[in-house]
Amino acid sequence: MRINSYRGFILICCVLLLALLAGGESLHNLKEKQNCNYTVTIETSCTRGAETSNRVSLRFGDMKSNDILVKHLNSKHVRKVDPLAPDVLDDVPRKPFQACNIDEFQVTGPCVESPVCYLYLKLIGNDDWRPGFAHIREIEGSHHSSKYFYFRRYLPRNVWHGSDMCDREVTPFGIKHKRKVYLYS
């Protein structure tokens, strides 16, 4: 009789342990799926013909390969910013990516764990676009914000174009970058 009660006790302990482990795993998964809010600032240069009405996509992330993809950045437009001061000119919706303008966009995506260190833009359409700079600011924690990414040239169409300042190693032959491979476009 006593052996059966020990077996029952051990069985109950095993079930409780499995339940605790499963509960801890689901809490871990919830933390991983948490999203953060970002402000994306993009300047369009003042060169004649620099503006675009094409669709612009954005991809950025951190050293730990937390990748945020925005397939249609134009639809996230919030406001036009004065290039000489950070004051908002107005909150009237305007067409983004006009020459000599700085536009802000609000983006929600997976949280980065280190500062944003790569940023790519993709221009999809027929006309040209010449961005000046792009900057990502994490709204909840500015310690993960990016440095400025400078373009100052017309973007090629239908390809990712930008900078990756992650995983750089200085060697006697120059700066070596680890290659990133993305599974979706």
Side-chain angles (χ1 to χ4, degrees):
M1 192 78 169
R2 205 162 211 195
I3 293 174
N4 286 339
S5 64
Y6 284 129
R7 285 183 187 165
F9 177 73
I10 290 173
L11 180 64
I12 290 172
C13 287
C14 290
V15 169
L16 287 174
L17 181 62
L18 287 172
L20 285 173
L21 288 174
E25 186 177 324
S26 65
L27 288 175
H28 180 68
N29 288 342
L30 285 175
K31 186 177 178 183
E32 282 182 4
K33 292 181 181 180
Q34 182 180 6
N35 284 334
C36 291
N37 296 313
Y38 303 93
T39 298
V40 178
T41 305
I42 297 180
E43 175 202 43
T44 299
S45 67
C46 293
T47 307
R48 192 179 83 184
E51 68 277 343
T52 188
S53 58
N54 286 345
R55 191 175 98 193
V56 174
S57 297
L58 169 73
R59 166 177 264 138
F60 65 93
D62 64 359
M63 288 184 80
K64 299 188 185 214
S65 296
N66 292 306
D67 192 48
I68 295 96
L69 174 67
V70 183
K71 291 189 176 194
H72 193 60
L73 188 60
N74 309 49
S75 66
K76 310 288 185 191
H77 187 252
V78 175
R79 59 189 174 187
K80 176 180 165 186
V81 179
D82 184 348
L84 300 177
D87 298 329
V88 176
L89 293 178
D90 55 34
D91 286 331
V92 176
R94 295 184 184 265
K95 189 175 172 184
F97 310 124
Q98 298 302 304
C100 292
N101 282 338
I102 298 175
D103 297 294
E104 281 190 356
F105 306 87
Q106 295 296 319
V107 173
T108 300
C111 295
V112 294
E113 298 174 33
S114 63
V116 172
C117 57
Y118 68 88
L119 182 140
Y120 294 96
L121 295 169
K122 186 177 188 181
L123 181 66
I124 301 167
N126 296 325
D127 56 345
D128 294 324
W129 179 45
R130 187 174 178 171
F133 69 81
H135 180 259
I136 308 293
R137 189 175 75 242
E138 184 182 14
I139 294 174
E140 290 86 19
S142 62
H143 60 284
H144 289 153
S145 298
S146 74
K147 295 181 179 180
Y148 282 85
F149 294 90
Y150 294 97
F151 292 88
R152 297 185 183 136
R153 68 181 70 99
Y154 287 99
L155 289 186
R157 291 185 205 112
N158 302 315
V159 296
W160 290 106
H161 185 76
S163 298
D164 184 344
M165 295 183 273
C166 307
D167 298 332
R168 293 186 298 180
E169 178 185 346
V170 178
T171 68
F173 305 105
I175 297 176
K176 179 181 176 183
H177 297 273
K178 291 184 181 175
R179 183 176 173 170
K180 289 190 185 311
V181 177
Y182 298 106
L183 300 177
Y184 44 90
S185 57

